[in-house]
Amino acid sequence: MLRQIEGSVAVAEAVALARPEVICAYPISPQTHIVEGLGRLVKSGALQPCEFINVESEFAAMSVAIGASAAGARAYTATASQGLLFMAEAIYNASGLGLPIVMTVANRAIGAPINIWNDHSDSMSQRDCGWIQLFAAHNQEALDLHIQAFKLAEELSMPVMVCMDGFILTHAVERVDMPTQQQVDAFLPPYEPRQVLDTADPVSIGAMVGPEAFMEVRYLAHAKQQMALERIPQIADEFEARFGRNTGGLVRAYHCEDAETIVVALGSVIGTLRDTVEDLRAGGMKIGVLGIQSFRPFPLAAVRAALQGARRVVVLEKSFSVGLGGVVSTDVRLALSGLQLHGYTVVAGLGGRAITKASLARMLHEAVADKLEPLTFLDLDWGIVNRQLAREASVRRSGPIAENLLRDVGTVASKVN
Amino acid sequence: MSKPFAITLDPGSSLANKTGSWRSQRPVYVDRLPPCNAQCPAGEDIQGWLYHAESGNYEAAWRHLVRDNPFPAIMGRVCYHSCEGVCNRGQLDAAVGINSVERFLGDEALRRGWRFEPPTTESGTHVLVIGAGPSGMSAAYHLRRAGHRVTVKEAGPLMGGMMRFGIPQYRLPRDVLEAELQRIVEMGVQLQLNCKVADLTAEMLQGYDATFLAVGAHIAKRAFIPAKDSSRILDAVSVLRSMEGEDKPMLGRRVVVYGGGNTAIDMARTAKRLGATEAVIVYRRTREKMPAHDFEVEEALQEGVMVKWLSTIRQAGEDGELTIEKMTLDADGKPQPTGEFETLQSDSLVLALGQDVDLSLLHGVPGLVLDDGVVKVDPATLMTGCPGLFAGGDMVPAERNVTVAVGHGKKAARHIDAWLRGDVRAPAPKHAMARFEQLNTWYYSDAPKTMRPQLDLARRTSSFDEVQGGLTEDNALFEARRCLSCGNCFECDNCYGVCPDNAVIKLGPGKRFEFNYDYCKGCGICVAECPCGAIEMVAEQV
Amino acid sequence: MNHQPPSSLRSQPPEGVTDDFGAARQSSEPIKFYQTGTFTVGNRLLAPEQRSVQASTERSNSLTSGHRACQGCGEALGARYAIDAAMRATNNQIIAANATGCLEVFSTPYPETSWQLPWIHSLFGNAAAVGTGIAAALKVKAAKGGRKDVRVIAQGGDGGTTDIGFGCLSGMFERNDDVLYICYDNEAYMNTGVQRSSATPHAARTATTQAVGPNPGAEFGKGKNLPRIAMAHEIPYVATATVADLHGLEAKVERAMGLHGARYLHILVPCPLGWGAASHDTIRLARLARETGLFPEFEAEAGEITAVTKIRRRVPVEDYLRPQKRFAHLFADAGRPDLIAQIQAEADRNIRRFGLLDES
């Protein structure tokens, strides 16, 4: 049924349709509307039987989910940024134990400096933990991915995080097609745990594994993600067959068949890129967009297949590895090893800085002319940066860089020069 | 369940890890010798019969007891219970009332009519027992149990020896005495009363395969006291013996008893009951030095018996006027005359100065050796110098009391039995003592000793009713359960419960426990928390 | 022969043995049995229902042999005691969540586990939260027609409970989740090498509060009392116990399992290695901890004390401190009588505060 609702609300309703049994709620911007929506559904009786638990921290949220999932319940939680980091230990634990928890990450920058707006640094910080990471490009996909995520997680016994851009998607009111309960029930069967805490068949879960078996256990997790590479597109197909739309999958290519230049991106910026590329193509540029939906497992083969015909690849990412450069671009580069093409990393939108069509167009013109630096920061204010660097070269002043910059920008009055 | 590799494990898979390999020392269950058992002159397994009494299984307790001593009802009245003196519980609150419980069991047996089983097979040998006192009858009992034919010859008209003719009725009622003696006779012992053996050598040739001598020491010692013809001087042994007859002795109003042993006390208390207004004991040393048991002195004093300490009788004058010299103790504790005299009026003077053995029947017995008025025997076997002739009780060198005599009877019987078979009975190896320090007394409930009721004073001094009452069943059970079971497992389940490694196996009621050495790490908690010290650690052989 | 008993003994023949010594046992009332029944694990003369759970060959042995705990480990003992009692009380319907620590490490080294009940180890600080999750799942399953009688225990050591697990524990308490949390308190982070926790007693030597300087050992003025913090949450049931009082411990577990909601049990479990005590002294030290007044044993409901276990035979704190090398610096050379006096004052305060001695 078509609805004009906020992204968070859509996600809440989609999660509810998946019949979760235990929901852990700890608030953090910008995920709050999701858990609030679910809380209302549970408390009103619309979603039952379901336990909605107001936990005391994100660490508790994931821990409660772990306990619930291990006892055979379908468990869900949501977080972002600082909260994701706060539960980092538990995240590794969940994937290590193979518990099919589904979690929404409303992508948000990580402090210091504290910043509540969108970028991908939070999910990226957990890319090695063993969770499957799926990125939604728009609210319909965000909604759909949650339903697909439960199915995927429970089949593989592996937790899945569905990443959606904070504020940009979560707080955007868009038209979405909400499935019916029957449709979802037909697609997603009840949870049949692979291992479960059961008094009739006791087991000890969470043994200490030493050097003699640890590598094997970790390899098996990797092997499982390899299986996911097969299953993700299949589930997307199954979803399409039932729900009539193509969302999810590993990658989605737009006009890549004849493109000499392909821009690779994750998340909502794909929408902006598509619009930009439409315009550029109209002007004759042979340019396409490759959107990655499954970041973990990273679809090396699919990415390579989509990009190998191009002459240059621009990876536009809302993430950044301090001291190195791009995060996504490193993975993409791996997919392209051995191929001769130009690669450019464009870091954009950190901390929620808007990515405009104009800036993109400008950047792509340069890319196509091969005038782009290997590593570029879109719309960076070089003035501020250079002045700060000059200041630091002359005077060693301790204190956060941020304060210094803000003083420069004039936002903060300086008490001491 | 499809368990992920290594992360999830099946229950109890740790049993593959035999942690017993960690040990440097291992616990072993031991049986230690409780001090009561070690002390008992009759060799009773006190802890053993208390164990049965604790569960209310009085018959089992009694049968366990009489394996060693056939006279529990008597013991419960006359034994001086040195077991209680060494009872480990005495170091905790108060000794277990072993004597009280023994009496209860003995009385219970008499109430219920529990019998001794006659032997199932006859050995074919015939043993002569001379003397139907505690030693002789104990020997007769054990010999009969072993299947030997036993003939008991007793010079007197009744069985019992000093139990009948020495211990007053208010300490040992005669019906109890008679019942316990008769029970032995009913096993098939041939009893010949009024049958004094004058010539032992001749007697032994009458076809007996072995002989046990237990004639006791019933001749009163005399002291030289210058006396007028009119003075009435008696000896306690004869007086007490005559109490068994129809005519009670006439001692008069004022009775003086000379001596400091239990016989003197018995005599004085008996005099009181016979109607003496004054019963005075004259003793040459102090109360602390008095050989009589202190509780007997106490009971006597309560009954109005008076005692002149540090006094000797120098002379018995006209009309019963006694000349007393006051004594003092020198640095060695020996009484020394002071030269101070006083007089004491008496209607009769009863001497209780000790007893001698009548050795006349031993004349000419080959190989027999005497020693200071008693018969020398091999301490291990109680055999005299004459092969096949054994002796015990007051007539051999030993402490003189009923319990020791009973113990001799058992020991001699066992060695006679061995001798008759041509065996030498090797002493059974004794376990190590169960010392108080090895107990963990925390686990025993606070339980003060139950005191036996005593007859009130008015009745005590006017009748020969039993002074010391017995315990009710509730009290006897309570008292039995105060036993710490030193050194012997009583299945409290502590070891089974306190092992952090679940390495103790419970074998079932009555079967105790076993260590599972596959897993025992040798921590020693079981040893520390065993209330009765029945576990010890031994080093592993590496 | 005449089988009449002697007249002096003629009385009512006693009836069959009636053992009316065993009164119904309540949590704090001793068995009226005058041998050892009150204090020992069992006794052949006690009715089976008066013996502890541990006395029975039917006990669950929830933590069975083959685990890698040190010799004489108090935690292994406490865990088996508590879980077996809970299993008996719930007809074996217990799921346990365990924090990282000695108990978890020595019981589940791949490929062996000593646990015989469903058990999960997640992390160090989240046992209470994992317990909450399990309880929530069970509630939903019950609503969907599953078993309604499965109960949850979350357990951990003092480090995992009073320090790193504090947040999750408090959250479980305030939500009144249906979880029994058991803290096995050996008063330091033992598994990592005996480092100080907020449960470490004053003046005790640990690797991070060494016995050097003017204030040797753990400093006075620091530390926290979890049982009283639990009481402040006004949860349905809080109790303290030691491995020396088995009957008391089992009664408390049984009481706890008879209630629903957040419950907390704090068990003192001596650690021979960490405390520097002989391996056979484990139970003795736990007993002394109570008998000195240093470790009060009590029960509380909704924030108010409902029962205490009185001291049986009071002893000075020295009797408890001397056998432990972690307090050796208090006695070496001239010793530190001032610190011992401070510890004694703590014991005195507990006795006064909890009413641990009978007025007599």
Side-chain angles (χ1 to χ4, degrees), chain B residues 157-173:
Chain B
L158 297 163
M159 298 183 279
M162 273 302 165
M163 299 191 292
R164 170 106 49 190
F165 298 105
I167 299 175
Q169 289 187 33
Y170 59 81
R171 281 180 63 207
L172 180 56

Side-chain angles (χ1 to χ4, degrees), chain B residues 17-29:
Chain B
N17 183 24
K18 310 273 195 217
T19 52
S21 56
W22 298 15
R23 282 197 305 275
S24 54
Q25 50 181 10
R26 64 162 59 187
V28 289
Y29 289 108

Side-chain angles (χ1 to χ4, degrees), chain A residues 96-97 194-196 201-204 206-207 209 217, chain B residues 1-13:
Chain A
L97 295 178
R194 171 194 183 178
Q195 63 167 347
V196 69
D201 185 8
V203 286
S204 296
V209 176
V217 173
Chain B
M1 207 187 294
S2 163
K3 295 184 275 282
F5 169 71
I7 292 162
T8 303
L9 306 172
D10 282 321
S13 41

Side-chain angles (χ1 to χ4, degrees), chain C residues 274-288:
Chain C
W275 294 18
S279 63
H280 57 77
D281 266 347
T282 300
I283 292 183
R284 183 171 86 96
L285 287 173
R287 186 178 300 133
L288 287 170

Side-chain angles (χ1 to χ4, degrees), chain C residues 16-93:
Chain C
V17 178
T18 52
D19 182 13
D20 58 3
F21 284 82
R25 176 162 64 90
Q26 286 123 46
S27 65
S28 317
E29 219 181 87
I31 304 168
K32 286 187 169 62
F33 174 62
Y34 296 103
Q35 188 177 37
T36 66
T38 306
F39 303 110
T40 46
V41 169
N43 192 290
R44 67 191 176 99
L45 299 174
L46 276 179
E49 60 272 12
Q50 288 180 308
R51 304 180 203 176
S52 65
V53 173
Q54 288 300 305
S56 165
T57 48
E58 302 295 301
R59 74 188 192 207
S60 307
N61 286 322
S62 312
L63 182 73
T64 190
S65 318
H67 59 68
R68 304 196 185 187
C70 301
Q71 296 157 318
C73 172
E75 186 156 353
L77 204 54
R80 192 183 74 228
Y81 284 175
I83 308 290
D84 278 3
M87 291 283 268
R88 161 89 77 88
T90 60
N91 202 21
N92 299 336
Q93 298 305 310

Side-chain angles (χ1 to χ4, degrees), chain A residues 33-55:
Chain A
H33 291 177
I34 302 175
V35 293
E36 289 165 11
L38 284 166
R40 189 181 183 79
L41 287 167
V42 172
K43 205 159 170 74
S44 68
L47 172 55
Q48 52 87 16
C50 176
E51 286 294 297
F52 181 85
I53 304 174
N54 281 309
V55 290

Side-chain angles (χ1 to χ4, degrees), chain C residues 32 41 52 78-79 81 98-99 101 112 128 151 176 185 196 199 215-216 235 248 268 280 288 292 306 313 332 340 351:
Chain C
K32 286 187 169 62
V41 169
S52 65
Y81 284 175
N98 211 133
E112 297 149 12
R151 309 296 301 282
N176 201 24
D185 184 6
R196 181 254 181 209
N215 299 309
I235 54 179
L268 182 69
H280 57 77
L288 287 170
T292 51
T306 51
R313 295 176 191 157
I340 297 174
I351 289 172

